[in-house]
Amino acid sequence: MEDIVCTFCGSVCDDGEFDVEKRRVKRFCRLGSSKFAEKERIKAPMVEGKEVSYEEAIDYAVEILVNAKHPLLYGWASTVNEAIRLGVILAEKLGGVYDQCASVCHAPGVLAVIEEGLPGGTLGSIKNRAEVVIFWGANPAEAHPRHGLRYSITAKGLLVKDRKQRKVIVVDVRPTKTAKMADIFVQIKPGYDYAILSALRAIISGNADVVPKEVGGVSKEKLIELAEIMKNAKYGAVLYGLGVSQSRGRDRNVENAIKLIQLLNRTTRWIIWPMRGHYNVVGAGEVPAWEVGYSYAIDFSRGYPRFSPAEFSAVEVLNRKDCDAALIVASDPVAHFPASAVKYLKEIPVIQIDPYPNMTTLVSKVVIPSAVYGIEAEGSTYRMDGIVLRVKKILETNYWTDEKILEEMLKRVEKLKG
Amino acid sequence: MLWIKNGVVVDPKNRINAEKMDLFVKDGKIVEESKVKKGDCKVIDASGKLVVAGGIDMHAHIAGGKINTGRVMRPEEMRVVRNIAGKFRATVGRVLLTAPAIGYEYAKMGYTMSFEAATPPITSPHTHEELDAIPIIDKGALPVFGNWHLVFKCIEEKNLEKLKSLIAWTIERSKGFGVKIVNPGGVEAWMYGGNVKGLDEQVPGFAVTPREIITWLMRANEELNLPHSIHLHCNNLGIPGNYQTTIESIKLANGLKNEKRQILHVTHVQFNSYAGNSWRDVASGAAEIAKIVNSMDNVTIDMGQAIFGHATAMTGDAPFQFTLHKLIGARWSNKDTEVETGAGIVPIGYLPSNPVHTLQWAIGLELGLLIESDKVVLTTDYPNGGPFTEYPYVMAMLMSKKMREGELKRVHQYVQKATTLPSIETEKTLYEVIHMTRSLPARVMGLDKKGHLGIGADADIAIYDLNPLTTDFSNEFDRVYKAFKVSEFTIKDGDVVAKKGELVKEVFGKTFWVDASKKVDVEAVIPDVKSYFDFYTVQFSNYGVDERWLKKSKRIEVI
Amino acid sequence: MMVVELITGRTLDQGATVEEKLGEKYFNAVNYIELDEESFKQLGLKEGDRVKVTSDFGEVVVFAKKSDLPKGVAFIPMGPYANMVIDPSTDGTGMPQFKGVKAKIEKTTERVKTIKELLEAI
Amino acid sequence: MLIIKPKKYFEVCVEAEITPDLALKKVEEVKKFKVFYGNKIVELGELFEISKEGEDKKIVLGGDFSRVKWVGTRMVDGEILVKGSIGTNCGAFMRGGRIIIEKDADDWLGTEMAGGEIIVKGNAKNLVGCAYYGDAVGMSAGKILIEGNAGNYVGDKMSGGEIIIKGNAGDFIGMEMRGGVIEIHGSCGFVGGDMRGGEIRIKGSFEVLPTFKKTEKGWVGDVNVKGEGVVKNF
């Protein structure tokens, strides 16, 4: 089968070739190939370690959720929009909290968008037009291995034809694998992204005189050089990663970078975009945005949606012990949340829906295995730049899809809630 | 089955003006009396009430990347709670509404169809996912063509057949409804930080001009004979002096004719009707625009009325959005979309104390009043000019000089010298306003089962607590406004969905799209399309929307 | 003993094994700390030795790995080991600080816990 | 004076928009006041012991209120005395009166406050006197005094009023500030990014951004927004 869509990272490559006999995918990177490889699965639905039917597991799960005062519904980045939509409606009906993986990933970027907007473009604009690409706190060589080839570094575009016509700059706190592919590497002191961005804005707007000799471990000369490259590019792109959104300054770093892009657009063209992680983490934000107005950290306890990351992001809900049950779909918070949050997850009833056993399985009271989207089921997903791709069904399975499981849950919840 | 008894019907398409009559509905259609068993009918007593077809919003931004980014960047818009979760969905939104809120609010107002006015073909799957999430109303979406490299290429080659094939292929792939053109050439120029300033300025990197883009797409559209004409957002939007560009663009329709509908629809013309040289001496060019539109028999427009209060500018006109961001210093989102097009989003508000905003408000009304009712559709270009929920305000204003006089007193007096609004005596009749909100948009979009109440029409019906036979529309404007805000009954495909502003049933409407792929040899353009896919970031086979993905597809085949 | 600025992040190995979290490969992909050569010397470490990482928020024992890092910066792949010591507070943003946490590093003879043991200890 | 004490440990947070107006009502009426216990709407009396002493417009919150949110929101006068700690959004949109918190305050204290006074005897967390997401202006008038430490993002988009922190403050203080005063007796991280006006006084150490000019008045900036805010030691 051709033109298979990858369901690993936010690059969502759609040019894979799948050999059904050998169960192997061609053309994808190591991460994509691992996604399509055969792995250990959760064998059957389980309640407290005992195998049960799907219906029994769903009944049990729904009882927990309906009786909860404030259930947390978390995950969603590795499933399709159809399932996410049901998850959002379920959270609304249950009066719970909807939160998604971005809240420990790129969500600070959303806060920045609220402050300043998002002057961006699709990956195709970068591939075809960007003569300068800056990876800021992003390491696609390890997190999005084919990004450079398909969209940003060696991608062959219409106006920017190849690598020679494109300048690649990496700004990071360490010489990453991506930094080694760059024309220029700017190594900065951890925690100084904000200050450096402020300095660049000052230099570009003609206030270089106030900028001190060194900012965040970077000399003023180097900053001026960087500013000149940015000003002189006909079309440039800043692609930022978790180095910006997970470190000191978080949303403020992104906000400052957006302000820099706004400034550059007064004289030339620049765009900025986050290097989103999971294949459908964008969908996990887009779907709730059209269904209920916000993209993450959404509370429905009052019967209508409210947004507050300081209170309703999953880590805060858990740190504050502000939930009494959790439904985890297509995610592994036990592996990826700080220990304090994991500690509380261990204390409350957890329901998991996932194809694969993971650390969250170990703390879950109800485990419901699901089909793997992109291999065993189809559905729509959003690439990191919001371009929609339909992941495909290649193989048959007896596992239920997330969509079917959630639909059954929703039916039961609606019945119980009247 | 439904029997709507004793209503006072206004149905301009069928030349019915305030006649007392009964309507019958069966299987979602309006049928003859003989087709129903009256005993089995649910009866709605519409005595002394106005019965009209469901309203049609032919140009709004209701789904897709733009409005959704708007929602994410404006949580303050989302704090207005409209419905608490219960039997129906929780809905929120001040002007920017969630998808369920869009469906519910249209329905409560007696509107039953709305078109998403601009979707880049590559993002059409997103647009359709959002359209599918909007309950009750019927929907459609217009893919954009005016800045697409492939379109430029066909025009450069002067190959009309290829262009026709490209349009047919794109509309089928994107499940689109027609050909939208946004600032032709200007958005491509924006990729280099520029814009195009006139119809004859060459688009950077291409041997084409906006004039050629419009003309060629118009010709291709006509040869394909699509239900809708080209749908043009003119160059120079939002720039003082732009009314001349608009007039020149309108003239491009000269010489072409279509039996059923216009050749050219120019959209949200309010934003393209500015005289003057700068924001300091900006004035209305609406009278000139009205003159040219009235003089032509193949051009229609919609108003793009500005409503005082909050709004969000969102359009494919990316360079304009950046200009707006610089002008007012507000947040700014931008989306350069592959080699297809671009878009931008900026929060705005219209204040009656601001001379420019007041001018915009007045120009919309001038257009609505000065242009013949058979050529101007009521829109706010939601959410650019403001909320669609204020259509009743515009309807009432068009029908009452007295209401306008009252409003003119509370706004910035700049409008007195900069517009003709204070001197306009015209009061549109109810018949005209119903036409402007129902039968006309249906005709403009080429929908023969919509916008009227004749036998065979879709049973999309609105009943208002307003007796046209006894209402003084000039003086009772407040009552008129309130009556149109909230329908007594809204009926969608024969189902009563809302009653006195309360939702009673949630249904899902259809998505209308046009299939002209049999009309031309689509294969003629495929090699070119495929060669362009080297510059796309998705595979050719993964581009577009399959019909089975749509919740409720309504394919309109063009033969 | 020395104090470092600890960062976490994705690696190819972590990514390629992320759907097999209860397996050996994932364990190996996330249970180490990268330090620069000088820090290695300073702590008297050789590749594969164990170090104890202690921050204000917890402690964890991981294997030591030499890497091309600036002095004073240490890296643990994102995952359960890193999460024992990162700062869980979100400072009002909803996002814990996964990058840039002060941590104390010392050579140890303590065992590296398995993933299950790690979870039990929380 | 109304005295309110929790009856039990709350399994999830409670949202109780209590203002001193309640102190003027009869106890029976106060007991019926609606609060949110997770997704359940319950009566105040179901979760709290309520008693009344005298008629003054004052509420005393005894016991632990650290899991109770939105106390004192939109209050215009009177007094709330919190004997322990308080939950998030305390004193949001407050226009007058006084809130005294004897222990700690959680995030979003005094958000968009437009008058009145908040005194925290312990520590405050993040987003003190800020604007809610999407809003253009933070605290515009009134006074917040924190005797202990405060977290990140203090006085974001603040346009007036005064925030005094006797201990340390966190990072990113007075960002996009337009007016008013922030006084920190201890130390803090970055201050005044994109500050347009107002004054930030710091006794201890802090980090100056590279977009401030050193003048006799102190550090003036932020030049990126042609700002005239002042950051200085005192």
Side-chain angles (χ1 to χ4, degrees):
Chain A
M1 216 168 159
E2 298 216 340
D3 294 348
I4 293 299
V5 181
C6 183
T7 51
F8 195 95
C9 80
S11 297
V12 195
C13 302
D14 70 333
D15 58 345
E17 208 179 295
F18 193 81
D19 184 331
V20 178
E21 305 244 302
K22 290 185 188 145
R23 211 203 141 110
R24 254 194 17 223
V25 71
K26 269 194 264 180
R27 228 168 277 134
F28 288 164
C29 68
R30 203 180 137 209
L31 299 177
S33 305
S34 79
K35 187 83 203 186
F36 286 81
E38 217 159 351
K39 288 182 282 273
E40 193 198 334
R41 298 284 287 269
I42 300 170
K43 282 179 195 66
M46 288 182 291
V47 172
E48 289 177 17
K50 248 178 56 196
E51 287 193 13
V52 295
S53 68
Y54 268 105
E55 287 81 2
E56 285 169 304
I58 288 169
D59 282 340
Y60 199 88
V62 165
E63 201 184 311
I64 293 171
L65 293 170
V66 167
N67 289 321
K69 287 192 184 70
H70 206 211
L72 168 67
L73 284 74
Y74 175 81
W76 315 106
S78 292
T79 187
V80 295
N81 290 347
E82 291 81 351
I84 294 165
R85 177 162 187 269
L86 293 167
V88 174
I89 297 173
L90 196 58
E92 180 183 307
K93 297 269 181 230
L94 287 166
V97 168
Y98 172 93
D99 193 38
Q100 43 114 344
C101 305
S103 83
V104 290
C105 201
H106 266 291
V110 173
L111 300 181
V113 170
I114 291 169
E115 298 297 325
E116 291 300 331
L118 182 57
T122 65
L123 294 171
S125 329
I126 298 165
K127 161 179 164 155
N128 288 307
R129 303 183 197 272
E131 43 178 58
V132 179
V133 175
I134 301 180
F135 291 101
W136 197 304
N139 185 14
E142 306 224 34
H144 306 87
R146 290 182 82 220
H147 194 283
L149 172 73
R150 280 173 61 85
Y151 316 120
S152 54
I153 301 175
T154 50
K156 291 183 168 52
L158 184 65
L159 303 163
V160 176
K161 305 243 180 285
D162 54 26
R163 178 71 181 84
K164 274 181 250 136
Q165 293 185 6
R166 185 176 283 131
K167 191 167 267 164
V168 176
I169 300 170
V170 169
V171 182
D172 211 312
V173 298
R174 62 186 173 117
T176 58
K177 278 191 188 153
T178 312
K180 284 164 192 150
M181 297 153 81
D183 300 297
I184 299 171
F185 172 50
V186 183
Q187 185 165 313
I188 68 171
K189 215 161 100 184
Y192 284 82
D193 304 71
Y194 186 94
I196 289 166
L197 288 159
S198 280
L200 285 171
R201 282 169 64 200
I203 293 165
I204 288 165
S205 60
N207 288 306
D209 54 323
V210 300
V211 175
K213 277 196 204 115
E214 188 223 289
V215 181
V218 186
S219 71
K220 186 172 177 177
E221 289 72 41
K222 188 94 182 166
L223 289 172
I224 290 172
E225 184 197 331
L226 192 55
E228 284 301 316
I229 293 171
M230 293 184 95
K231 273 200 302 193
N232 294 326
K234 254 198 269 170
Y235 193 103
V238 170
L239 295 165
Y240 71 90
L242 298 181
V244 175
S245 66
Q246 288 187 334
S247 65
R248 179 190 186 195
R250 289 172 275 214
D251 53 315
R252 308 301 156 127
N253 297 336
V254 183
E255 188 183 334
N256 214 356
I258 293 172
K259 285 173 174 168
L260 171 65
I261 298 299
Q262 290 176 348
L263 177 66
L264 284 164
N265 273 291
R266 287 174 180 255
T267 48
T268 178
R269 279 309 313 284
W270 273 80
I271 60 168
I272 180 165
W273 206 262
M275 296 285 283
R276 306 298 300 267
H278 290 289
Y279 78 92
N280 196 26
V281 69
V282 172
E286 290 287 325
V287 176
W290 78 60
E291 290 294 337
V292 298
Y294 307 110
S295 63
Y296 74 108
I298 310 162
D299 166 69
F300 292 97
S301 62
R302 294 195 181 190
Y304 54 86
R306 287 182 302 165
F307 169 69
S308 183
E311 297 165 89
F312 307 127
S313 68
V315 170
E316 285 285 5
V317 167
L318 293 167
N319 279 350
R320 288 173 196 282
K321 303 185 183 203
D322 191 15
C323 62
D324 51 353
L327 170 67
I328 310 295
V329 181
S331 174
D332 187 6
V334 174
H336 294 130
F337 280 6
S340 60
V342 174
K343 189 170 188 300
Y344 189 64
L345 260 180
K346 285 171 68 180
E347 291 175 26
I348 57 171
V350 175
I351 301 147
Q352 180 189 36
I353 304 176
D354 207 287
Y356 305 109
N358 58 29
M359 289 183 70
T360 301
T361 318
L362 302 176
V363 307
S364 296
K365 199 163 186 168
V366 184
V367 178
I368 307 175
S370 58
V372 183
Y373 281 105
I375 302 175
E376 298 164 344
E378 69 166 323
S380 72
T381 68
Y382 286 23
R383 198 170 70 187
M384 63 164 70
D385 56 349
I387 295 294
V388 185
L389 285 154
R390 189 94 179 166
V391 303
K392 294 168 187 174
K393 180 174 175 170
I394 312 167
L395 302 172
E396 290 301 324
T397 183
N398 291 323
Y399 286 110
W400 289 20
T401 60
D402 292 344
E403 196 182 349
K404 183 170 175 189
I405 297 163
L406 290 161
E407 207 165 6
E408 289 299 318
M409 290 177 85
L410 189 58
K411 266 191 222 158
R412 285 161 169 79
V413 168
E414 275 171 346
K415 210 167 141 194
L416 288 167
K417 289 245 161 185
Chain B
M1 276 182 288
L2 213 56
W3 176 8
I4 302 166
K5 235 177 169 169
N6 285 328
V8 185
V9 173
V10 175
D11 183 10
K13 185 179 176 185
N14 297 304
R15 309 254 173 258
I16 296 166
N17 190 1
E19 288 175 34
K20 235 184 229 172
M21 53 194 281
D22 289 4
L23 288 179
F24 300 91
V25 173
K26 193 182 166 184
D27 300 329
K29 301 277 178 196
I30 295 183
V31 295
E32 281 164 24
E33 189 172 349
S34 61
K35 292 276 170 9
V36 299
K37 269 195 224 147
K38 284 193 182 158
D40 295 346
C41 281
K42 190 185 157 187
V43 180
I44 293 175
D45 179 10
S47 307
K49 297 199 160 77
L50 171 67
V51 179
V52 295
I56 298 173
D57 195 342
M58 60 162 291
H59 185 111
H61 300 270
I62 53 170
K66 286 193 290 296
I67 184 165
N68 221 30
T69 303
R71 293 178 183 119
V72 171
M73 78 187 250
R74 301 202 68 186
E76 74 278 18
E77 276 284 315
M78 297 299 147
R79 283 189 217 130
V80 174
V81 179
R82 289 177 179 265
N83 193 49
I84 307 247
K87 190 179 170 200
F88 300 106
R89 294 288 307 280
T91 59
V92 295
R94 184 168 62 190
V95 174
L96 287 180
L97 304 175
T98 57
I102 288 172
Y104 292 179
E105 296 304 318
Y106 269 126
K108 287 195 238 171
M109 201 173 64
Y111 265 61
T112 49
M113 187 172 202
S114 180
F115 283 87
E116 162 55 43
T119 178
I122 193 173
T123 68
S124 55
H126 176 173
T127 306
H128 283 291
E129 276 195 286
E130 269 196 57
L131 288 177
D132 275 350
I134 298 174
I136 300 175
I137 59 169
D138 287 328
K139 301 141 297 203
L142 299 172
V144 293
F145 286 85
N147 290 280
W148 191 358
H149 288 193
L150 257 167
V151 171
F152 295 164
K153 183 170 191 260
C154 295
I155 298 170
E156 275 180 337
E157 289 176 7
K158 307 215 179 301
N159 193 332
L160 191 64
E161 286 310 308
K162 247 191 211 174
L163 187 59
K164 280 158 63 183
S165 299
L166 178 66
I167 291 172
W169 176 78
T170 307
I171 292 183
E172 189 284 320
R173 278 289 72 214
S174 62
K175 300 296 169 282
F177 193 85
V179 176
K180 174 76 184 293
I181 306 167
V182 178
N183 185 3
V187 184
E188 175 58 24
W190 164 244
M191 302 306 159
Y192 307 90
N195 200 345
V196 289
K197 288 180 184 64
L199 287 185
D200 296 311
E201 193 175 314
Q202 196 171 309
V203 180
F206 295 89
V208 294
T209 62
R211 181 186 301 278
E212 288 168 325
I213 299 167
I214 299 166
T215 315
W216 279 81
L217 284 169
M218 193 188 293
R219 282 175 57 197
N221 193 86
E222 288 315 301
E223 290 202 8
L224 283 168
N225 197 21
L226 300 183
H228 184 37
S229 66
I230 60 164
H231 190 118
L232 176 67
H233 158 142
C234 289
N235 298 101
N236 287 328
L237 177 135
I239 297 167
N242 63 9
Y243 81 105
Q244 281 169 329
T245 311
T246 311
I247 287 172
E248 268 185 79
S249 306
I250 288 170
K251 285 183 182 161
L252 296 177
N254 267 326
L256 283 167
K257 201 143 184 60
N258 187 306
E259 294 286 295
K260 287 183 145 179
R261 54 150 173 84
Q262 74 291 346
I263 292 295
L264 167 68
H265 180 82
V266 187
T267 192
H268 47 62
V269 174
Q270 178 271 120
F271 294 106
N272 289 77
S273 300
Y274 308 148
N277 299 308
S278 74
W279 290 114
R280 251 163 289 143
D281 68 351
V282 65
S284 169
E288 303 298 318
I289 302 270
K291 217 180 282 169
I292 178 99
V293 174
N294 287 339
S295 76
M296 295 183 69
D297 59 359
N298 58 359
V299 175
T300 54
I301 72 147
D302 65 87
M303 290 161 73
Q305 176 65 36
I307 303 288
F308 292 121
H310 296 280
T312 305
M314 53 179 68
T315 132
D317 196 340
F320 164 70
Q321 294 289 13
F322 183 67
T323 307
L324 189 62
H325 154 72
K326 274 197 298 185
L327 194 69
I328 63 178
R331 286 167 261 185
W332 166 58
S333 286
N334 175 83
K335 192 82 175 269
D336 301 339
T337 306
E338 307 280 300
V339 289
E340 279 186 4
T341 186
I345 309 163
V346 176
I348 44 168
Y350 299 99
L351 303 171
S353 57
N354 179 306
V356 173
H357 299 167
T358 307
L359 180 82
Q360 294 178 295
W361 165 84
I363 290 174
L365 292 164
E366 283 181 282
L367 293 167
L369 290 162
L370 297 175
I371 295 175
E372 293 162 17
S373 309
D374 200 34
K375 294 177 180 170
V376 53
V377 178
L378 198 156
T379 64
T380 56
D381 185 16
Y382 170 79
N384 286 283
F388 62 76
T389 50
E390 283 304 319
Y391 286 172
Y393 169 82
V394 187
M395 293 165 85
M397 287 283 274
L398 293 175
M399 290 190 280
S400 167
K401 170 133 205 312
K402 201 168 166 192
M403 181 176 179
R404 298 199 295 269
E405 281 167 352
E407 290 291 278
L408 275 163
K409 277 185 200 138
R410 73 176 186 105
V411 303
H412 197 286
Q413 292 307 299
Y414 185 74
V415 286
Q416 297 288 347
K417 59 169 190 191
T419 78
T420 64
L421 184 65
S423 66
I424 299 176
E425 298 292 331
T426 309
E427 290 186 329
K428 296 272 182 185
T429 63
L430 177 69
Y431 185 83
E432 288 175 299
V433 167
I434 294 303
H435 184 48
M436 289 164 74
T437 53
R438 271 88 180 162
S439 33
L440 178 60
R443 190 189 77 204
V444 170
M445 299 311 287
L447 297 161
D448 55 1
K449 300 273 190 284
K450 297 282 177 195
H452 71 101
L453 300 171
I455 302 303
D458 289 346
D460 300 346
I461 305 164
I463 303 174
Y464 296 101
D465 184 14
L466 192 71
N467 187 342
L469 301 169
T470 58
T471 303
D472 174 353
F473 287 89
S474 301
N475 290 305
E476 294 178 81
F477 49 83
D478 203 35
R479 207 165 65 76
V480 171
Y481 167 69
K482 281 185 187 135
F484 280 121
K485 269 296 253 192
V486 165
S487 73
E488 283 289 289
F489 292 91
T490 302
I491 295 155
K492 179 77 193 64
D493 292 316
D495 277 319
V496 176
V497 290
K499 233 174 180 171
K500 292 188 198 297
E502 295 289 328
L503 216 60
V504 294
K505 186 177 180 184
E506 184 178 277
V507 297
F508 277 84
K510 295 185 272 288
T511 299
F512 285 64
W513 62 280
V514 170
D515 186 355
S517 55
K518 290 214 186 100
K519 179 98 183 174
V520 283
D521 175 19
V522 170
E523 289 303 314
V525 77
I526 295 301
D528 290 85
V529 173
K530 282 191 170 158
S531 76
Y532 257 78
F533 267 79
D534 289 342
F535 308 114
Y536 269 93
T537 51
V538 299
Q539 298 295 102
F540 175 75
S541 75
N542 286 327
Y543 186 89
V545 180
D546 286 357
E547 186 174 9
R548 67 186 176 87
W549 303 348
L550 302 181
K551 195 177 224 153
K552 265 179 148 178
S553 160
K554 175 73 184 171
R555 173 167 160 269
I556 297 175
E557 186 160 16
V558 178
I559 318 163
Chain C
M1 201 276 290
M2 63 184 293
V3 174
V4 293
E5 184 113 13
L6 179 66
I7 56 175
T8 68
R10 289 184 196 282
T11 69
L12 267 178
D13 287 338
Q14 174 267 339
T17 57
V18 78
E19 284 178 344
E20 299 169 281
K21 289 221 188 68
L22 307 179
E24 185 74 16
K25 281 186 201 155
Y26 178 73
F27 173 68
N28 291 331
V30 293
N31 66 5
Y32 61 87
I33 187 165
E34 289 182 8
L35 294 163
D36 67 300
E37 193 154 0
E38 211 175 303
S39 304
F40 247 70
K41 263 189 219 148
Q42 206 177 316
L43 293 170
L45 289 170
K46 56 182 191 307
E47 200 84 18
D49 276 356
R50 281 152 291 170
V51 293
K52 187 181 209 165
V53 185
T54 312
S55 73
D56 285 351
F57 315 100
E59 57 173 55
V60 69
V61 177
V62 284
F63 295 105
K65 204 169 178 173
K66 219 180 279 176
S67 175
D68 186 11
L69 279 169
K71 192 175 157 33
V73 176
F75 174 89
I76 305 182
M78 67 181 278
Y81 293 87
N83 290 340
M84 298 300 289
V85 288
I86 61 119
D87 183 353
S89 61
T90 81
D91 300 330
T93 65
M95 166 68 86
Q97 199 162 316
F98 285 105
K99 298 176 193 284
V101 177
K102 290 257 178 298
K104 199 173 77 181
I105 293 181
E106 58 203 324
K107 196 171 169 177
T108 182
T109 55
E110 282 178 45
R111 211 162 60 77
V112 174
K113 286 193 174 103
T114 65
I115 281 176
K116 281 186 186 170
E117 287 167 348
L118 201 65
L119 181 57
E120 275 157 23
I122 291 172
Chain D
M1 184 174 77
L2 207 57
I3 300 155
I4 305 179
K5 285 180 185 163
K7 281 183 177 169
K8 55 184 174 188
Y9 172 79
F10 302 129
E11 289 164 55
V12 295
C13 292
V14 174
E15 299 196 358
E17 298 181 5
I18 304 167
T19 58
D21 296 347
L22 277 183
L24 304 181
K25 297 185 176 167
K26 292 199 188 85
V27 171
E28 284 318 300
E29 228 179 303
V30 175
K31 279 186 179 165
K32 292 205 177 96
F33 184 78
K34 294 278 185 289
V35 299
F36 296 87
Y37 186 21
N39 53 25
K40 313 275 185 276
I41 298 175
V42 299
E43 292 183 352
L44 196 65
E46 203 178 302
L47 302 180
F48 300 90
E49 304 274 3
I50 298 160
S51 60
K52 198 166 173 177
E53 286 175 16
E55 287 302 317
D56 47 335
K57 207 170 182 179
K58 180 173 173 177
I59 296 182
V60 177
L61 304 179
D64 183 21
F65 272 73
S66 64
R67 291 168 73 69
V68 183
K69 302 175 173 185
W70 294 100
V71 168
T73 180
R74 294 179 201 278
M75 72 184 259
V76 289
D77 57 4
E79 187 176 306
I80 299 177
L81 173 63
V82 186
K83 302 292 277 184
S85 295
I86 195 76
T88 58
N89 301 289
C90 177
F93 308 112
M94 178 176 179
R95 282 189 285 139
R98 188 154 69 148
I99 302 176
I100 301 167
I101 299 151
E102 294 198 339
K103 284 187 180 162
D104 302 334
D106 208 334
D107 291 340
W108 293 116
L109 177 75
T111 316
E112 298 185 27
M113 179 174 176
E117 192 182 2
I118 300 177
I119 297 163
V120 183
K121 304 245 166 116
N123 302 320
K125 281 179 77 180
N126 312 287
L127 300 151
V128 175
C130 287
Y132 283 115
Y133 292 111
D135 290 348
V137 183
M139 179 176 180
S140 57
K143 185 176 171 180
I144 299 177
L145 170 68
I146 296 156
E147 296 193 352
N149 302 323
N152 283 12
Y153 313 119
V154 175
D156 232 59
K157 301 197 183 85
M158 178 174 176
S159 68
E162 210 182 343
I163 301 175
I164 298 165
I165 299 160
K166 295 283 187 169
N168 299 320
D171 222 346
F172 296 90
I173 306 301
M175 309 301 278
E176 295 189 13
M177 188 171 167
R178 297 143 180 224
V181 173
I182 301 175
E183 187 177 288
I184 299 164
H185 291 245
S187 300
C188 65
F190 283 134
V191 283
D194 279 16
M195 185 178 183
R196 288 175 195 273
E199 191 174 297
I200 306 175
R201 301 192 279 262
I202 305 150
K203 216 171 222 168
S205 65
F206 61 96
E207 286 193 84
V208 184
L209 285 165
T211 43
F212 279 72
K213 270 184 215 164
K214 181 127 204 197
T215 70
E216 281 169 11
K217 280 196 282 183
W219 294 93
V220 176
D222 183 319
V223 299
N224 281 336
V225 289
K226 302 187 177 71
E228 285 168 6
V230 177
V231 177
K232 63 178 185 191
N233 269 121
F234 77 104

